[in-house]
Amino acid sequence: MSRRALGPATLAVVQAVAASLLPADRTLLVACSGGPDSLALAAGAAHVARRAGLAYAGVVVDHGLQEGSAGVAESARSALAGLGYADVAVVRVAVVADGTGPEAAARDARHAALQTERAARDATLLLGHTRDDQAETVLLGLARGSGARSLAGMPVRGDDRVRPLLGLPRATTVACCAELGLTPWTDPHNADPAYARVRVRERVLPFLETELGPGVVAALARSADLLRADADLLDALATEAAAGAEQDGGLACDRLVALPAALRTRVLRTWLRTAGAGSLAADHVAAVEALVTGWRGQGPVHLPGLRVVRTDGVLRTR
């Protein structure tokens, strides 16, 4: 597949993959479900890898949640082989209900499997999220009231993974597959309104496009980029502030109360997560912050996985 032979959508995918890589990325591992986004990514990554002399492999995760999932995984493996992938791992995972919901549990199982494969190859993991996925993530974060970090969406690079297609609309990946004669798999879960992300995709975003005009998806993705830069700076400042507030294995309240609220809540959220708190919501952090800013001798704050007390002017976990 020479550059001259590439269709416009395929060329856009190839250019996006090439732009996302760094000199240290010597082995590429593409996560592929068989859907249009990951198939287009796999095609673009293979093209870039061959031209640059990089090693490349694929990984398909079978969640086992649907009848015939093994056949879907095999079809994805076959598609990758057709794109020139000699090394494709098909990994079946067990999705364990943990109270977070089936979507989150499946995501956690998938991420763990992908990280295991990435580490085994010392590879750069590539994921096929698009600009549409970014817009959906921003809207879901807005609905949860999760703050700037959630509204910042997904980075192109971060958490040992790369998302080369975040700047491209989903329509480009669909067109890329059509140009290459690929037949993507359609996940029935992607049409199930029981999932919040599906409702955002099928109902909320089209409504916003109709009422506010075209360009909403691109605007949401652009907002995520701007918010990510702000959140990165605040997180860096919060790391410095946390070091200055440490005292006797906890956090000194007199140092916390002197911080701007934007830094104080970040310090507390990171501290709580490090201590083992799970599923932190904004009201959890606010309750702990009240031990600092609204101290009246109140008792401990109970959070998922731990409780927080204030003793002798220091916040401690139990």
Side-chain angles (χ1 to χ4, degrees):
M1 186 169 60
S2 67
R3 182 185 182 90
R4 185 177 303 170
L6 299 180
T10 306
L11 178 59
V13 169
V14 167
Q15 290 174 333
V17 172
S20 72
L21 300 181
L22 299 176
D25 300 323
R26 305 306 305 167
T27 300
L28 309 182
L29 178 64
V30 179
C32 184
S33 67
D37 300 339
S38 60
L39 270 185
L41 173 64
H47 184 79
V48 170
R50 286 193 292 266
R51 289 176 61 90
L54 306 178
Y56 62 102
V59 56
V60 179
V61 177
D62 176 8
H63 300 86
L65 294 177
Q66 302 173 28
E67 184 177 352
S69 64
V72 171
E74 173 56 26
S75 295
R77 187 208 62 76
S78 179
L80 289 176
L83 290 170
Y85 284 75
D87 178 6
V88 180
V90 177
V91 183
R92 182 169 181 118
V93 298
V95 178
V96 179
D98 57 5
T100 61
E103 190 175 17
R107 182 180 62 246
D108 290 345
R110 179 172 64 254
H111 286 176
L114 293 176
Q115 288 302 328
T116 297
E117 292 296 322
R118 181 200 66 80
R121 291 173 172 80
D122 191 22
T124 299
L125 177 64
L126 306 186
L127 304 179
H129 297 112
T130 66
R131 188 171 68 188
D132 297 74
D133 294 306
Q134 186 76 295
E136 293 161 12
T137 298
V138 172
L139 280 180
L140 288 169
L142 182 64
R144 289 192 297 265
S146 304
R149 175 52 67 189
S150 179
L151 296 180
M154 301 172 285
V156 173
R157 296 186 70 97
D159 301 325
D160 297 320
R161 62 199 70 174
V162 181
R163 302 174 178 89
L165 308 185
L166 273 185
L168 299 181
R170 185 171 292 131
T172 298
T173 66
V174 173
C176 173
C177 289
E179 289 174 359
L180 297 176
L182 300 172
T183 303
W185 170 63
T186 301
D187 185 349
H189 284 168
N190 288 339
D192 187 347
Y195 296 101
R197 184 173 290 271
V198 173
R199 296 195 297 274
V200 167
R201 179 181 306 145
E202 300 294 332
R203 301 175 185 174
V204 178
L205 279 172
F207 174 80
L208 291 177
E209 291 275 354
T210 299
E211 297 300 318
L212 302 180
V216 169
V217 168
L220 287 169
R222 186 166 59 251
S223 295
D225 290 339
L226 296 172
L227 281 167
R228 190 177 311 110
D230 294 347
D232 287 346
L233 174 59
L234 286 170
D235 285 348
L237 294 173
T239 298
E240 296 178 7
E246 291 177 356
Q247 180 178 322
D248 301 331
L251 296 176
C253 292
D254 60 343
R255 297 171 194 166
L256 290 174
V257 77
L259 296 174
L263 293 184
R264 183 168 56 246
T265 54
R266 278 171 167 75
V267 169
L268 290 173
R269 183 177 294 275
T270 300
W271 177 66
L272 292 170
R273 284 177 172 163
T274 302
S279 302
L280 280 176
D283 57 345
H284 293 141
V285 178
V288 175
E289 186 181 22
L291 295 177
V292 177
T293 60
W295 177 243
R296 303 181 308 278
Q298 60 264 46
V301 173
H302 294 271
L303 304 175
L306 54 79
R307 61 191 180 99
V308 182
V309 298
R310 173 172 171 158
T311 56
D312 300 324
V314 177
L315 293 186
R316 295 185 173 86
T317 60
R318 297 285 189 269

